[in-house]
Amino acid sequence: MIKVLENPFYYLENFHQGLAWIGERYDDLLTADERHFLATFSTLPQSSRALFVRMVMRKGTIFRASKLVYAEIGSTHEAARPLAQAGLIEEDPQLELDALFDLLQKPEIVKVFQLGAHVKHLRKADQLAALRQQYDGARRFSGWYAHSGDYAYRNLTQQLCDRLRLIFFGNYHQDWTDFVLSDLGIYQYEKVEFSPAARGFRSRRDIDDFLAIHQCHERFAEGEDPAAVIADLPPCAPDNEWLRSRRNKLLFAIAQHVEKLRDWPTAHAMYADCDYPGARARAIRVLEKNEQPREAFDLLQIALQAPESEAERQQLLRMAPRLARKLGHAKPPPVVLAQAERIDLSLPPPQEASYVEFVVRDHLSKEDAPVYYVENSLINSLFGLLCWDAVFSPIPGAFFHPYHRGPADLHSADFQRRRALQFGDALSQLDGDQYRATIRANFAAKYGIQSPFVFWEAVDEELLDLALECIPPQHLKRAFERILLDVKSNRSGFPDLIQFWPAERRYNMIEVKGPGDRLQDNQLRWIEYCAAHAMPISVCYLQWAA
């Protein structure tokens, strides 16, 4: 249920809570300007602080007073004056033409520049292009628009506030609105007990490295020369796997870009220097593309001795016959994989547009054997409900603020190992009947709380009961064990549908493929795993009847 917030300054109160949290836990890591901001911000008038937070929570750094009208703040210009005196914002800033256009609406542009008939009806972007040659300098907002009756402000501390947000959340994909969404009850978060010393960054170097990697990512996304971006990538502390993973992810993306440019030597060097999953397989492929089959084959043989994952093994087995043939080697024996049962359907096209999964679901579903569209939601949710306490264990470094959807190390290589005892206790319940009570109890007690595994909108009590009655605990245990082997990769690839026969207490998982569609690699891996462990699984190939 969405709550009503009685305090009109709720966002300011939340911002102060965030600053207090940072001051208590990270004071020794802060720079002088960050520490000064924390010490002086609270001394400003309430309306000024509220206006500043409104600016911080908006996109961009330049604003018009007429767009910052809030009843609880009152006069925007009066509230802005102390902020300017404190050096947090600039009143009437110097603006280039592009920045001015972002602030003005089309009728204002026509008025300010006295546009003629041939220009005023153009799109805003075309008006800007037409005026660029005449206006190449910067002026204050009042100089551009002397009689607007409005004011403009530039937030001078947005980067500082972004750094503080990063320090609080440990990432850039969360922002201060998470406080508000939690207060409103839109998002609910598990309450994890962690010590006051728990924090996402251990040193100032960690913060600076994160910022540098983020800036390199932004530069690469904007099309900057990859060599210049890589030159500025920090090496990261050797004992910080989390930051090394972020660095390697960017390095992998840049290597893929270089590979598309067919710069094989540079791409290979980058893949070879990258520990990101999939980099070694791409290095082999680049060697092959560069007409170096011997080097590619030798590296493939090394990789096959200890594949980094099921995904890499799958890629290696796909490349091996081709490389062997290029070297004149005997064709390696085919790898026999466990196969799913095949279902072939020929059905009339639906009268209204519909997904093929829904067409097959409706065709196969019977009163005594219902079919549900679940894809990745059901098995992940059952796992998350059974292993709730393990996932949200207060492991050092996993939780360091109240707004975690899941542990910060969810995708790290040692995620399971660091919680081996807790996951062992949870999965051991599948050796008896306790797992049913635990899953049902957590479904009731934790309903709606954010989780990286539980799909609350897709799983209801009816589906939960059918799954617990029809899926043997041994099959659940096999599925859960595979999820834990590689959380990032193995949370996806599950079949689209599941059919239950409650009277017989059995089930079947069904992957649906429409005309021209084919199985994806992660789907093939789940199909092989399930078939190898006698977990019922089928692939349904649908064709439209003429």
Side-chain angles (χ1 to χ4, degrees):
M1 181 181 295
I2 298 178
K3 305 173 185 176
V4 176
L5 301 180
E6 297 181 358
N7 178 9
F9 291 100
Y10 62 90
Y11 55 92
L12 176 59
E13 183 179 309
N14 290 337
F15 190 72
H16 276 296
Q17 290 176 5
L19 297 185
W21 187 280
I22 294 168
E24 291 169 4
R25 288 166 171 78
Y26 294 95
D27 182 70
D28 59 312
L29 306 189
L30 300 181
T31 61
D33 60 335
E34 292 163 353
R35 198 172 288 113
H36 175 74
F37 178 83
L38 263 62
T40 60
F41 181 70
S42 60
T43 65
L44 296 171
Q46 183 185 52
S47 60
S48 300
R49 285 179 280 130
L51 178 63
F52 180 79
V53 174
R54 289 290 193 183
M55 290 183 182
V56 167
M57 295 177 70
R58 284 195 173 200
K59 184 178 179 180
T61 60
I62 305 173
F63 310 96
R64 293 175 65 169
S66 58
K67 303 298 182 182
L68 295 169
V69 177
Y70 301 97
E72 74 277 7
I73 292 175
S75 170
T76 302
H77 194 54
E78 291 299 318
R81 193 167 290 128
L83 296 175
Q85 293 169 352
L88 299 182
I89 68 170
E90 177 189 7
E91 290 185 297
D92 200 17
Q94 294 271 357
L95 301 177
E96 301 283 349
L97 187 66
D98 289 51
L100 178 70
F101 262 61
D102 288 338
L103 294 184
L104 300 184
Q105 297 178 336
K106 278 192 69 176
E108 293 177 308
I109 293 171
V110 172
K111 179 180 178 181
V112 168
F113 295 99
Q114 299 293 302
L115 297 182
H118 66 292
V119 180
K120 70 178 182 179
H121 295 301
L122 295 176
R123 293 183 306 115
K124 195 174 178 182
D126 295 330
Q127 291 175 338
L128 175 60
L131 292 170
R132 275 205 182 104
Q133 293 181 349
Q134 304 174 48
Y135 302 93
D136 59 354
R139 306 181 189 179
R140 296 199 177 276
F141 177 76
S142 59
W144 286 111
Y145 198 179
H147 304 293
S148 67
D150 205 351
Y151 302 94
Y153 315 105
R154 186 195 305 273
N155 182 358
L156 300 175
T157 51
Q158 186 64 49
Q159 288 188 348
L160 182 149
C161 290
D162 285 343
R163 291 200 306 272
L164 293 177
R165 174 166 63 90
L166 169 64
I167 292 170
F168 181 88
F169 288 109
N171 61 67
Y172 267 136
H173 63 261
Q174 287 181 282
D175 57 37
W176 304 114
T177 59
D178 281 47
F179 285 76
V180 180
L181 296 173
S182 177
D183 289 343
L184 291 171
I186 296 173
Y187 288 163
Q188 302 176 57
Y189 298 91
E190 177 71 337
K191 293 179 172 60
V192 180
E193 294 294 334
F194 48 87
S195 71
R199 52 191 195 177
F201 297 101
R202 305 165 305 174
S203 66
R204 187 67 202 191
R205 176 182 175 177
D206 286 348
I207 298 173
D208 293 339
D209 283 350
F210 188 106
L211 288 167
I213 294 170
H214 178 75
Q215 289 164 2
C216 286
H217 181 276
E218 295 293 298
R219 289 163 54 191
F220 173 64
E222 292 170 2
E224 191 169 330
D225 178 26
V229 174
I230 292 174
D232 291 336
L233 263 179
C236 297
D239 61 340
N240 193 323
E241 184 201 349
W242 170 53
L243 278 177
R244 283 193 299 107
S245 176
R246 293 186 65 87
R247 182 186 188 277
N248 283 327
K249 183 177 181 180
L250 176 57
L251 191 61
F252 184 79
I254 297 175
Q256 287 181 303
H257 173 74
V258 173
E259 181 183 349
K260 290 177 182 178
L261 298 177
R262 305 176 70 83
D263 183 352
W264 312 129
T266 302
H268 177 263
M270 293 176 63
Y271 284 132
D273 188 42
C274 179
D275 291 333
Y276 195 73
R280 183 167 59 175
R282 292 313 311 167
I284 296 170
R285 184 71 179 112
V286 165
L287 286 171
E288 181 184 9
K289 289 179 177 180
N290 198 29
E291 303 299 331
Q292 295 177 272
R294 166 56 60 188
E295 291 81 354
F297 186 79
D298 290 345
L299 181 56
L300 182 140
Q301 295 304 307
I302 294 172
L304 274 175
Q305 294 176 19
E308 66 183 20
S309 65
E310 293 176 352
E312 187 187 50
R313 175 178 172 271
Q314 186 180 46
Q315 291 176 295
L316 297 175
L317 292 175
R318 194 173 287 156
M319 288 189 284
R322 188 172 63 246
L323 287 171
R325 184 172 63 252
K326 289 183 177 181
L327 294 172
H329 294 173
K331 184 178 180 180
V335 178
V336 180
L337 303 177
Q339 298 293 314
E341 178 185 333
R342 180 177 177 122
I343 301 172
D344 288 289
L345 288 180
S346 178
L347 301 175
Q351 294 183 350
E352 296 182 2
S354 179
Y355 292 108
V356 293
E357 296 87 351
F358 296 167
V359 173
V360 173
R361 177 198 62 187
D362 296 342
H363 174 76
L364 295 179
S365 191
K366 302 175 183 177
E367 186 175 348
D368 61 346
V371 181
Y372 293 82
Y373 174 75
V374 293
E375 200 174 17
N376 299 316
S377 62
L378 180 59
I379 300 299
N380 273 300
S381 294
L382 292 171
F383 171 84
L385 291 168
L386 178 65
C387 300
W388 190 279
D389 291 344
V391 171
F392 289 98
S393 297
I395 301 294
F399 299 95
F400 41 86
H401 62 73
Y403 304 97
H404 280 279
R405 181 172 179 263
D409 63 338
L410 182 67
H411 294 155
S412 68
D414 60 353
F415 171 73
Q416 187 276 338
R417 182 184 59 78
R418 297 182 72 205
R419 301 160 177 81
L421 180 62
Q422 293 91 332
F423 279 120
D425 289 343
L427 267 58
S428 68
Q429 296 181 44
L430 293 162
D431 297 329
D433 290 330
Q434 180 60 36
Y435 74 97
R436 290 189 175 93
T438 299
I439 288 174
R440 288 192 173 104
N442 282 334
F443 183 82
K446 306 297 184 180
Y447 192 86
I449 295 176
Q450 295 288 298
S451 164
F453 295 101
V454 183
F455 293 70
W456 296 113
E457 71 284 357
V459 179
D460 57 19
E461 289 191 48
E462 178 185 355
L463 178 57
L464 193 70
D465 288 341
L466 281 169
L468 292 178
E469 288 302 314
C470 296
I471 304 177
Q474 299 87 348
H475 292 183
L476 291 176
K477 193 170 189 178
R478 290 290 191 184
F480 297 170
E481 288 171 343
R482 185 171 187 271
I483 289 174
L484 284 172
L485 282 176
D486 186 345
V487 171
K488 185 175 183 180
S489 297
N490 294 344
R491 280 192 298 170
S492 62
F494 290 94
D496 300 305
L497 309 177
I498 189 166
Q499 185 166 22
F500 298 109
W501 288 266
E504 303 169 36
R505 299 188 69 178
R506 66 182 180 92
Y507 74 105
N508 185 39
M509 295 178 287
I510 307 167
E511 177 63 35
V512 178
K513 291 300 168 188
D517 200 1
R518 65 179 182 85
L519 291 167
Q520 303 300 310
D521 283 350
N522 61 344
Q523 295 170 341
L524 285 167
R525 294 194 295 271
W526 264 113
I527 288 171
E528 178 192 355
Y529 182 85
C530 292
H533 292 92
M535 300 162 66
I537 190 166
S538 304
V539 180
C540 176
Y541 292 93
L542 172 66
Q543 297 294 331
W544 300 123

